[in-house]
Amino acid sequence: MIRAFDAFSLPVLRWLDPEDAHRLAIQGLRFLPPAKPRADDPKLAMRAFGLNFPNPIGMAAGFDKSAEVPDALLRLGFGFVEIGSVTPKPQSGNPRPRLFRLERDEAVVNRMGFNNDGADVALRRLAARAQHGGIVGVNVGANKDSPDRVADYVKLIETFAPVASYFTVNVSSPNTPGLRNLQEGALLDDLLARVIDARERVRQKAGDTPVLLKIAPDLSLAQLDDVVQVARSRRVDGMIVSNTTIARPSTLREVMRAKEQGGLSGRPLFRLSTRMVAETYVRVEGAFPLIGVGGVDSGGAALTKIRAGASLIQLYSSLIYKGLGLVDEIKRDLTSTLLRTGRDSLSEIVGADAATLTAEDWPGM
């Protein structure tokens, strides 16, 4: 079914304006037959943040911003889905055009600006599917015009705690002016203190909901030191490494499109984001697990990300070029790797190459 869907949809979607294609893809998934997904190989199971993931491949935030199709994505074989970024109030985002394909680079530049239907709508949708099971995380962000952005995060934690499998605190999008400042020492410490406090306040009614921090790949190593120190001291449950980059590698072939303002994702982000996974992994020292994001477009790329220190991975941009069949392809490759090397679980190789990677020259951007 997935192969047939890809064969029909990829040429059509690539012909359309990127944002129109995204909207059409969401609509198509809404009408996906409610077939039960094929069971994953038990070797792919991963436990992280107190949650049991059937496989380590997740849909990254940004695809299903307003929780329209999380169950359809789970049926397609994802081990987990992250919706959002959700903001307290509905938000239209930045003016169009704001999404650009770099075809020859298998990359995307976006400056969407947290466009979403708002917390009330997303909450209703998640509450309606609460009995369906599956791991659905909620990526939370602040409204662009908010007078108190930290209060926005706190409100969202309190609102979504009963229906979220986990939270991702997104302070690393480059498309909301000033948002990345929240990654800085004292500001981040205050934000995480208030977010964790909010989680604790609703724990009795909503249960224990893990809180993850998503960071930019453009942090300096000194800044990363500070971020990890704050994350560990505030006892977050994990980190996601990384968001899109504002850098533009000199190797990009779509030179004119690359000049568009916004965050770059896809294949050109792979080396930088993977290096940041390794750098974060050695600094975390096992205090919590990591999710690796950025340029995962094959089983080999997923394996590299895991060996760099990621317990789980997420993808999005690569689906534009490879189709939904990529999820099963990655799972097959990971399973065959485990069989070939005689290992029982991916957890045995998490971080195996982290120290080696951090000793290499910095990836050129």
Side-chain angles (χ1 to χ4, degrees):
M1 181 184 69
I2 293 174
R3 283 196 298 269
F5 182 83
D6 283 344
F8 169 75
S9 65
L10 281 179
V12 174
L13 295 176
R14 296 271 290 279
W15 180 75
L16 296 173
D17 166 84
E19 193 163 347
D20 292 339
H22 175 261
R23 189 67 242 160
L24 185 60
I26 292 285
Q27 294 296 340
L29 288 170
R30 291 178 66 180
F31 295 103
L32 196 70
K36 189 175 182 179
R38 186 169 62 248
D40 288 313
D41 189 310
K43 289 178 179 288
L44 294 180
M46 185 70 74
R47 182 167 175 81
F49 327 118
L51 301 172
N52 294 315
F53 295 80
N55 72 70
I57 305 166
M59 174 60 92
F63 179 79
D64 189 7
K65 292 175 179 291
S66 300
E68 295 181 77
V69 290
D71 291 300
L73 292 169
L74 291 170
R75 291 198 299 271
L76 289 170
F78 285 97
F80 63 108
V81 173
E82 187 171 311
I83 68 101
S85 293
V86 179
T87 54
K89 296 184 294 185
Q91 189 162 272
S92 59
N94 294 320
R96 293 180 65 168
R98 54 192 179 178
L99 184 63
F100 308 90
R101 300 189 197 101
L102 282 62
E103 298 269 357
R104 289 183 294 168
D105 300 298
E106 295 193 15
V108 173
V109 169
N110 93 83
R111 52 172 181 261
M112 301 300 288
F114 284 175
N115 57 306
N116 72 105
D117 294 338
D120 290 345
V121 172
L123 178 63
R124 286 199 300 271
R125 289 170 178 158
L126 291 178
R129 54 88 48 205
Q131 304 304 315
H132 292 185
I135 296 175
V136 179
V138 178
N139 184 300
V140 293
N143 280 114
K144 181 179 180 179
D145 61 354
S146 174
D148 184 346
R149 287 180 171 174
V150 173
D152 279 8
Y153 289 97
V154 169
K155 179 179 180 180
L156 291 167
I157 297 295
E158 294 171 342
T159 299
F160 284 95
V163 296
S165 300
Y166 68 87
F167 284 110
T168 297
V169 177
N170 185 358
V171 291
S172 50
S173 170
N175 301 317
T176 297
L179 187 76
R180 284 189 168 192
N181 294 340
L182 290 173
Q183 294 176 116
E184 296 174 3
L187 293 175
L188 181 63
D189 187 62
D190 177 61
L191 168 66
L192 291 181
R194 291 175 62 183
V195 162
I196 296 297
D197 182 62
R199 192 268 306 273
E200 295 305 306
R201 284 199 304 273
V202 297
R203 182 195 292 267
Q204 190 168 357
K205 291 183 179 179
D208 191 7
T209 313
V211 171
L212 282 55
L213 174 67
K214 187 168 186 176
I215 63 170
D218 307 309
L219 296 172
S220 69
L221 293 184
Q223 289 172 319
L224 181 62
D225 288 340
D226 292 342
V227 167
V228 171
Q229 188 274 326
V230 171
R232 292 181 63 172
S233 68
R234 289 300 174 186
R235 298 185 180 276
V236 301
D237 299 283
M239 287 175 60
I240 301 184
V241 187
S242 63
N243 214 315
T244 58
T245 180
I246 56 174
R248 296 294 186 269
S250 59
T251 54
L252 290 175
R253 292 182 286 178
E254 298 276 6
V255 179
M256 296 308 295
R257 286 280 172 83
K259 292 180 180 179
E260 293 288 350
Q261 183 180 353
L264 175 73
S265 61
R267 179 172 285 184
L269 179 58
F270 179 74
R271 290 186 66 216
L272 176 61
S273 61
T274 303
R275 177 61 177 266
M276 289 298 285
V277 168
E279 296 285 355
T280 306
Y281 180 83
V282 299
R283 286 163 171 76
V284 166
E285 299 177 310
F288 47 70
L290 307 178
I291 298 179
V293 200
V296 177
D297 60 2
S298 67
L303 185 64
T304 299
K305 200 78 83 173
I306 291 167
R307 293 183 66 90
S311 295
L312 305 164
I313 62 168
Q314 289 177 325
L315 45 83
Y316 173 11
S317 297
S318 57
L319 299 173
I320 296 168
Y321 300 102
K322 300 292 183 70
L324 290 165
L326 177 62
V327 178
D328 278 340
E329 176 189 320
I330 292 174
K331 289 194 288 188
R332 285 195 301 269
D333 286 353
L334 292 178
T335 300
S336 66
T337 297
L338 290 173
L339 290 172
R340 188 174 65 252
T341 57
R343 291 186 169 90
D344 294 322
S345 170
L346 288 168
S347 61
E348 297 177 32
I349 56 173
V350 171
D353 295 338
T356 302
L357 286 170
T358 59
E360 294 179 354
D361 291 339
W362 195 259
M365 289 294 286

